[in-house]
Amino acid sequence: MTWDHDRPFAPIHDRLPYDAIVDRPAPLWPGGARLAVWVVPNIEHYEYLPPAGAVDPYPRTPHPDVRKYTYHDYGNRVGFWRMLEVLDRHEIPCTTSLNVAVLDHYPEIAEAMAARGWDHMSHGLYNTRYLTGMDEAEERAFLEECNEVLRRHTGSNFSGMLGPNITGNAWTPDLMAELGMTFHADWVHDERPAPLITRSGHPLVALPYTYALNDAPLLMRSHVEGPEYAEYLLAQFEELHEREENIGRMMCLSLHPFTIGQPHRAGHLDRVLAHLRAHDDVWFATASDIVAHYRQTAYDHDLQRATGVVRA
């Protein structure tokens, strides 16, 4: 596959080549696990008075929108700590989708995450500042700023990203690869990791997050509540874990402290995690663990199948 500078990734299959899951050999998870589960607490900060941008995060009223702001603020004041109790009870290794300015604004939360050794993927600075509307130079500077904040607190750069409020541009994966990131979670195209082609050729993995069973839209904007949400997760688990043809797939639990941390909902998360933990052939892993294992065992094979490219 060659890079066409006049027509960059015009067909989406140039970026993410089609490869039917029924034709691909399943990756072998460590220890013979049938299913990989990654748990993603979205640790976010929504600004009280967000700056003007291409998209208004609070379109309901002129700023400030106290209703919207305080609903999310509850997550950091209360919901995070209730959610944390449940995650601790089941010793869950987590990958945060992190608005990195949280580390400056909420040192108590930063300390709690550091104490547990949680993995972090970038979710931008704030969840009220989007990639949409940035040009390529602006976005590169933005991604570098996010890395600078994380380095100041942890000494490390981000290895992956879920775009802030899941936004991005056509060149976003290219910039991520050029800055040394190894995975992009925005792509929910599959139930396994897959190669994501970049203009530089630097390897980048599409690591599927979840929109279908994301707790925030389900519990905020639909008629679903805690009991139904738990049943959806358990039904997904049974399908992915029990059927032989589904061995080697992934399940993502997307959590938001302002939704799942509500007192009438946290017990339903506890029920789901207890059920999953009762199975010793489930690999609870961080994004970094999954991506490292995939790159070592299946990435080159999948890349060659999808594109004909053999990495040196």
Side-chain angles (χ1 to χ4, degrees), residues 208-279:
Y209 182 64
T210 180
Y211 303 157
L213 292 186
N214 186 315
D215 69 334
L218 276 177
L219 297 173
M220 289 173 64
R221 295 192 291 272
S222 70
H223 297 293
V224 172
E225 254 308 338
E228 295 87 355
Y229 169 69
E231 291 305 317
Y232 290 163
L233 290 176
L234 293 173
Q236 182 187 55
F237 174 75
E238 294 303 323
E239 169 72 13
L240 294 175
H241 178 263
E242 297 302 326
R243 294 183 59 184
E244 289 294 323
E245 58 267 38
N246 289 338
I247 290 176
R249 303 198 186 189
M250 294 169 48
M251 178 175 174
C252 177
L253 272 68
S254 168
L255 308 176
H256 292 74
F258 52 80
T259 51
I260 203 64
Q262 298 282 345
H264 61 295
R265 294 172 179 156
H268 299 292
L269 173 63
D270 184 77
R271 177 161 63 95
V272 169
L273 292 177
H275 182 79
L276 270 59
R277 270 298 195 198
H279 295 77

Side-chain angles (χ1 to χ4, degrees), residues 27 88 102 124 127 163 167 187 195-196 207 262 285 287 297:
D88 282 351
V102 162
N127 229 34
T167 58
W187 307 77
L196 191 60
L207 187 69
Q262 298 282 345
T297 60

Side-chain angles (χ1 to χ4, degrees), residues 94-105:
C94 291
T95 303
T96 69
S97 173
L98 181 67
N99 290 156
V100 72
V102 162
L103 301 179
D104 288 329
H105 289 298

Side-chain angles (χ1 to χ4, degrees), residues 2 19 76 97 107 123 161 270 272 280:
T2 59
D19 195 5
N76 293 321
S97 173
H123 203 35
M161 181 171 72
D270 184 77
V272 169
D280 59 10

